[in-house]
Amino acid sequence: MNSKFRWEILLYVGLTLAVIVSFVFSYLIWANPARVGVTQENTVSKKEGKLTANSDKVLTDIYQPVNVIENISESEAYQISSSKVDLVEAIQKNLANRDFTLKSRQSYPSVQAYQKILGKSQMLLLTYASPVTVKQALAWLGSKTNRYEKQMVNRILIPRDNSRELYLLNDQDQVVYHYQTLKKSRPHLGQLLTDKDITKTLVSLHPLGDKWVSIYPQGIEVAQYSYLTERQASGLYVNKLLGSITNITTKEQDGQNLYTDGQNRRLKIVKKTGQVTYSNYNTKEKNLSFDFSNLAKMSFREMLDLGLGVDDLRYAGYQKNSITYRTYITTYPLLGADNIGSLNFRYRKNGQEKMEFSLLSLQVPIPAANDAVTLPPTQEALDQVVKLGYKVNDIQVGYNSRENTSASQVVDLTPTYFFLVDNKWQSYQP
């Protein structure tokens, strides 16, 4: 018996056991939800000025940086990540509740000048997937502000060996806000970087339109994963979004189940993939403010009302009247077209609302059958896409998902480059 055949047998047995374990846990949750912290309803309350859920989740748990870069010098920087240590959380704890106060605000009109700030030596650069307000960035660190609180920022820059100061950076306007604290420094952040499980990848930041994107000059190696999934019953969201079952009209068409309440609400579920689209053409909310903070709070409340799992979700995008959340694995988002791990809200001033998500959710990671994937240098991949005539507005490393061929309840996550073209993420095909 050759080694490949033995490995296939072991993988099949492992997947089968994982599915059995999943059913056991599902039964326990159904039989006694209190044992695993599951309740029948989600509630929203005010706690120290923050929206909280019964799971003690707050808005700042989702609105946090997703990426960490260590600047060694202006010409040498590494993206750092770990499969065992949450670096973002560790840095937050180091800087939390320090009462940072604003010292200065400075604009850098030239690209070269701003690039020097981004590459400032002996610094850690924490990056958000999409801009947040100054108020939210400081709230994540347990600090408050009464100046520039609605201004948007993309990054937090902190000295590697001195946590008494920090900088908030706005990439679009190339503005830097400098903050300081008088509180005693905690252990150097540099100690976090000595963990043996930390992976470092050479990276540089370059402008692309109004964004600054990560370029990996030597390529990047990213792990593959397989996850056991859970599919929620359609009826759960039919009841939560449309209300009483007696008022609902059901229709099956082109592989989709369509539900309407006969008035203003409509729910579409793709049977094969579990993609859900909910539309409400007449909500109680009229003359909505598309202020970023308002949309953030509204969408967070709706996530809790629906009982959607928020543990692995992170804020991933904001555009005028819409806001997006995605599941992140280590530091990379799920960007596949099937909407697994994605949640999008769109609002209109006349009260219309649209929500998109998936019935499928990731549950338990299991050993992947394949090794890590080595992606080519970013510029090489970008050149190929541009040569085909596409205009690229953004670049990210992310995960595609596809159903495992051996177990229907398992999805395989494969990393690749994604390019934002015509406001849609397109996966890189070499």
Side-chain angles (χ1 to χ4, degrees), residues 19 24 28 77-78 102 114 119-120 224 297 311 315 317 335 389:
V19 171
V24 173
L28 290 174
Y78 296 90
L102 181 68
Y114 187 69
K120 208 170 182 181
Q224 297 190 78
K297 292 176 182 178
D311 287 346
Y315 160 68
L335 287 170

Side-chain angles (χ1 to χ4, degrees), residues 38 236 244 298 356 360 371 386:
V38 177
L236 174 67
S244 173
M298 285 175 55
E356 297 170 306
L360 287 175
D371 296 330
V386 171

Side-chain angles (χ1 to χ4, degrees), residues 8-238:
E8 289 177 349
I9 292 177
L10 289 172
L11 177 61
Y12 179 79
V13 172
L15 292 175
T16 302
L17 290 174
V19 171
I20 293 172
V21 170
S22 173
F23 281 125
V24 173
F25 276 112
S26 297
Y27 171 76
L28 290 174
I29 292 171
W30 177 84
N32 186 9
R35 291 184 62 183
V36 288
V38 177
T39 59
Q40 297 301 312
E41 296 182 358
N42 278 306
T43 58
V44 181
S45 62
K46 287 284 185 177
K47 180 181 180 182
E48 295 180 359
K50 299 178 181 178
L51 286 170
T52 67
N54 56 7
S55 63
D56 291 329
K57 280 288 176 181
V58 296
L59 203 61
T60 49
D61 290 329
I62 295 178
Y63 284 77
Q64 62 173 269
V66 297
N67 176 285
V68 182
I69 291 175
E70 179 187 10
N71 292 338
I72 304 301
S73 66
E74 286 188 12
S75 60
E76 183 182 5
Y78 296 90
Q79 178 178 292
I80 58 175
S81 61
S82 172
S83 60
K84 296 184 179 180
V85 178
D86 188 333
L87 296 177
V88 171
E89 181 181 343
I91 293 170
Q92 179 197 33
K93 288 180 178 179
N94 187 284
L95 298 172
N97 303 313
R98 309 298 303 284
D99 296 328
F100 288 96
T101 57
L102 181 68
K103 290 300 179 184
S104 66
R105 174 189 181 276
Q106 186 171 351
S107 298
Y108 293 84
S110 75
V111 169
Q112 293 79 9
Y114 187 69
Q115 194 166 31
K116 284 188 175 182
I117 296 297
L118 289 172
K120 208 170 182 181
S121 62
Q122 296 301 303
M123 292 278 188
L124 294 179
L125 185 65
L126 285 72
T127 302
Y128 287 90
S130 194
V132 301
T133 62
V134 166
K135 182 177 181 179
Q136 284 181 323
L138 290 176
W140 180 66
L141 297 171
S143 293
K144 298 179 180 180
T145 181
N146 56 7
R147 296 189 65 189
Y148 306 114
E149 59 180 23
K150 291 188 176 182
Q151 298 302 307
M152 307 298 283
V153 293
N154 306 74
R155 307 176 193 272
I156 301 174
L157 182 67
I158 52 177
R160 186 176 183 271
D161 297 325
N162 177 11
S163 55
R164 285 182 181 266
E165 59 183 332
L166 65 83
Y167 305 83
L168 301 182
L169 282 60
N170 177 303
D171 288 351
Q172 286 68 43
D173 299 324
Q174 298 182 178
V175 173
V176 176
Y177 303 88
H178 180 199
Y179 293 82
Q180 289 183 334
T181 179
L182 296 177
K183 288 193 174 181
K184 184 179 179 181
S185 295
R186 292 174 182 167
H188 287 175
L189 290 171
Q191 293 179 6
L192 293 172
L193 311 180
T194 60
D195 192 289
K196 64 180 181 179
D197 294 310
I198 286 181
T199 300
K200 297 188 177 186
T201 304
L202 190 67
V203 67
S204 58
L205 296 173
H206 294 269
L208 182 66
D210 66 344
K211 296 180 174 66
W212 285 77
V213 297
S214 293
I215 300 293
Y216 304 100
Q218 298 177 357
I220 181 171
E221 184 178 277
V222 186
Q224 297 190 78
Y225 292 95
S226 293
Y227 269 81
L228 192 65
T229 62
E230 181 181 30
R231 179 168 177 144
Q232 294 289 351
S234 301
L236 174 67
Y237 296 110
V238 173

